[in-house]
Amino acid sequence: MTRRSVKRAFFVAAIASLGMLGCGEELAPPAVTLSVDPPVVAAGAAATLRWSSTDATSCAATGAWSGARPVAGSQSTGALVAASSFTLTCTGDGGSATRTVTVEVERAPAAPPIVSLSASPTTLTAGGAATLTWSANGAATCTATGA
């Protein structure tokens, strides 16, 4: 190889390593997938985030999580009490790509009403009368039935 051909080979190798070989050729941006399982959790429960990317050299998390992340992995959301969005942006030589998933949190069911009922006197003879007393906490209405 002559000195000139060595220089040319080095120049072509340098351009190829920068992704600039070919007329108007551009590098593809990274491809990113981000998923959550399950997508809906009970209050106080956690979900698992899973992600992967191609053509990415780094990833960063924002939203309900933050910081640098590997280009592929999984992580627990930790206990959730409200709907939370998780965003992952991965960057490579061809640009960046962003994906977001949201974990919904089911509302806790309302506590059942607490009802108290008493009679005075508690024992009756035929034809006798009693007074009934009741209270209901957490009830919108009360209905009495029976004789």
Side-chain angles (χ1 to χ4, degrees), residues 5-102:
S5 63
V6 169
K7 283 183 178 179
R8 183 175 291 147
F10 177 78
F11 180 72
V12 169
I15 289 175
S17 71
L18 294 174
M20 299 183 326
L21 193 60
C23 295
E25 185 178 322
E26 292 184 25
L27 295 173
V32 179
T33 60
L34 175 62
S35 63
V36 62
D37 185 41
V40 179
V41 297
T48 300
L49 300 164
R50 289 184 178 80
W51 68 94
S52 63
S53 61
T54 56
D55 299 323
T57 54
S58 65
C59 295
T62 57
W65 60 343
S66 63
R69 295 290 184 274
V71 295
S74 64
Q75 179 178 330
S76 173
T77 61
L80 298 171
V81 295
S84 301
S85 292
F86 298 83
T87 299
L88 185 69
T89 301
C90 294
T91 304
D93 292 336
S96 64
T98 300
R99 295 292 177 265
T100 300
V101 294
T102 299

